[in-house]
Amino acid sequence: MSLRDQIRIMVVDDMSTSRGLITQALDAIGIRNVASSADGPTALRMIDTSPVHLVISDYNMPEMSGLHLLHALRTTPKTSKIGFLLITGRADKEIIDHGRRLGMNNFVKKPFQPQELKTAIEAIVGRL
């Protein structure tokens, strides 16, 4: 069984269209074990009951930004080792540097192509 058949991913984005685009890109790559959430707090609760290998999160979300979600994951022993990929339309150096300091594994700038997403994921988890 290949990694793409085993990996479990959580997509977090407050925009349903963006969640759909990310999920479609994952499907095109062959990744089908995908859960999604419209916000960070819900994602954290879902991950607590159904662990994942990788979180793909939007940066700009109300209530809890992608970097706040990353911080929550990294400061909780049970989730501290989950891979984290930030997707953002604002790939400012300041945001990326802050993400790296918090333990972000990689990022992709919106808009993206499925191959870009695959490359970014493989940099975190290995060849799919």
Side-chain angles (χ1 to χ4, degrees), residues 27-119:
D27 189 57
I29 296 166
I31 298 172
R32 298 198 172 55
N33 195 350
V34 179
S36 65
S37 173
D39 62 75
T42 302
L44 289 170
R45 286 191 299 277
M46 291 171 70
I47 291 167
D48 189 50
T49 59
S50 184
V52 297
H53 299 104
L54 176 67
V55 170
I56 299 175
S57 176
D58 183 31
Y59 167 71
N60 190 18
M61 298 183 291
E63 190 177 347
M64 178 182 268
S65 75
L67 293 184
H68 286 111
L69 173 59
L70 172 60
H71 178 73
L73 290 167
R74 292 294 182 257
T75 56
T76 304
K78 184 177 176 180
T79 60
S80 66
K81 302 291 187 214
I82 293 174
F84 190 90
L85 175 65
L86 186 70
I87 294 188
T88 179
R90 290 184 49 214
D92 302 346
K93 182 178 179 349
E94 162 188 324
I95 292 169
I96 301 310
D97 288 348
H98 186 205
R100 291 194 196 285
R101 285 192 303 277
L102 290 173
M104 174 183 74
N105 299 98
N106 209 343
F107 74 96
V108 172
K109 187 171 183 335
K110 289 180 185 177
F112 62 88
Q113 297 297 317
Q115 185 57 46
E116 291 174 274
L117 184 62
K118 180 181 182 202
T119 300

